[in-house]
Amino acid sequence: WNKCAANLTGYTDEDTMGHNLVQGFITEDFRSSVQEVLDQALQGSETANFEFPLLTKNGARVEVLLNASSRRDVEGRVVGMV
Protein backbone atom coordinates (compact mmCIF):
# COMPACT_ATOMS: atom_id res chain seq x y z
CA TRP A 1 0.00 0.00 0.00
CA ASN A 2 1.35 3.41 -0.81
CA LYS A 3 0.40 7.05 -0.37
CA CYS A 4 -1.28 7.25 -3.79
CA ALA A 5 -3.46 4.20 -3.04
CA ALA A 6 -4.37 5.71 0.32
CA ASN A 7 -5.33 9.03 -1.29
CA LEU A 8 -7.42 7.29 -3.97
CA THR A 9 -9.28 4.95 -1.64
CA GLY A 10 -9.37 6.64 1.75
CA TYR A 11 -7.82 3.55 3.39
CA THR A 12 -4.75 4.16 5.54
CA ASP A 13 -1.79 1.81 5.97
CA GLU A 14 -3.36 0.69 9.24
CA ASP A 15 -6.62 -0.17 7.43
CA THR A 16 -4.88 -2.37 4.87
CA MET A 17 -1.77 -3.95 6.40
CA GLY A 18 -2.35 -7.55 7.40
CA HIS A 19 -5.47 -7.84 5.23
CA ASN A 20 -5.87 -9.72 1.96
CA LEU A 21 -5.80 -7.18 -0.87
CA VAL A 22 -7.81 -9.28 -3.30
CA GLN A 23 -10.56 -10.34 -0.89
CA GLY A 24 -10.87 -7.06 0.97
CA PHE A 25 -10.36 -4.27 -1.52
CA ILE A 26 -11.18 -5.53 -5.02
CA THR A 27 -14.66 -5.92 -6.48
CA GLU A 28 -15.91 -9.49 -6.57
CA ASP A 29 -16.05 -9.62 -10.36
CA PHE A 30 -12.28 -8.95 -10.63
CA ARG A 31 -10.95 -10.97 -7.68
CA SER A 32 -9.98 -14.09 -9.61
CA SER A 33 -8.27 -12.20 -12.46
CA VAL A 34 -6.30 -9.95 -10.09
CA GLN A 35 -5.27 -12.98 -8.02
CA GLU A 36 -4.08 -14.68 -11.22
CA VAL A 37 -1.92 -11.66 -12.15
CA LEU A 38 -0.37 -11.64 -8.67
CA ASP A 39 0.22 -15.39 -8.72
CA GLN A 40 1.87 -15.16 -12.14
CA ALA A 41 4.24 -12.45 -10.88
CA LEU A 42 5.26 -14.77 -8.03
CA GLN A 43 6.11 -17.36 -10.69
CA GLY A 44 8.21 -14.90 -12.72
CA SER A 45 5.66 -13.76 -15.32
CA GLU A 46 5.19 -10.01 -15.05
CA THR A 47 2.12 -8.00 -16.08
CA ALA A 48 1.97 -4.30 -16.98
CA ASN A 49 -1.03 -1.98 -17.01
CA PHE A 50 -3.70 -4.44 -15.88
CA GLU A 51 -6.83 -2.37 -15.22
CA PHE A 52 -9.16 -3.28 -12.37
CA PRO A 53 -11.41 -1.55 -9.83
CA LEU A 54 -10.46 -0.94 -6.21
CA LEU A 55 -13.15 -0.29 -3.64
CA THR A 56 -12.84 2.95 -1.70
CA LYS A 57 -13.54 3.27 2.00
CA ASN A 58 -16.94 4.79 1.19
CA GLY A 59 -17.82 1.92 -1.21
CA ALA A 60 -17.16 3.61 -4.56
CA ARG A 61 -15.25 1.93 -7.41
CA VAL A 62 -12.00 3.48 -8.61
CA GLU A 63 -10.30 2.13 -11.74
CA VAL A 64 -6.54 1.61 -11.31
CA LEU A 65 -3.66 0.08 -13.28
CA LEU A 66 -1.60 -2.72 -11.77
CA ASN A 67 2.00 -3.46 -12.69
CA ALA A 68 2.98 -6.77 -11.10
CA SER A 69 6.75 -7.25 -11.23
CA SER A 70 8.68 -10.18 -9.85
CA ARG A 71 11.29 -9.45 -7.19
CA ARG A 72 14.40 -11.63 -7.58
CA ASP A 73 17.40 -12.40 -5.41
CA VAL A 74 21.01 -12.16 -6.65
CA GLU A 75 20.74 -15.66 -8.13
CA GLY A 76 17.62 -14.81 -10.12
CA ARG A 77 15.10 -16.70 -7.97
CA VAL A 78 11.72 -15.06 -7.46
CA VAL A 79 11.45 -14.01 -3.81
CA GLY A 80 8.39 -11.77 -4.01
CA MET A 81 6.65 -9.20 -6.13
CA VAL A 82 6.01 -5.47 -6.24
Side-chain angles (χ1 to χ4, degrees), residues 1 9 11-21 25:
W1 207 250
T9 64
Y11 287 110
T12 65
D13 289 347
E14 294 78 26
D15 292 330
T16 59
M17 292 302 152
H19 297 277
N20 184 296
L21 170 72
F25 304 97

Side-chain angles (χ1 to χ4, degrees), residues 27-79:
T27 61
E28 189 173 345
D29 54 331
F30 273 83
R31 287 181 186 155
S32 64
S33 57
V34 171
Q35 187 64 58
E36 184 177 333
V37 167
L38 299 177
D39 290 344
Q40 287 175 352
L42 289 172
Q43 295 173 19
S45 178
E46 300 179 355
T47 300
N49 299 321
F50 179 79
E51 187 175 346
F52 70 97
L54 272 179
L55 293 171
T56 66
K57 199 167 188 174
N58 67 9
R61 266 174 82 132
V62 177
E63 298 294 324
V64 297
L65 291 176
L66 169 67
N67 292 307
S69 302
S70 303
R71 188 80 179 241
R72 298 176 185 273
D73 65 13
V74 294
E75 296 178 7
R77 294 179 297 226
V78 175
V79 294

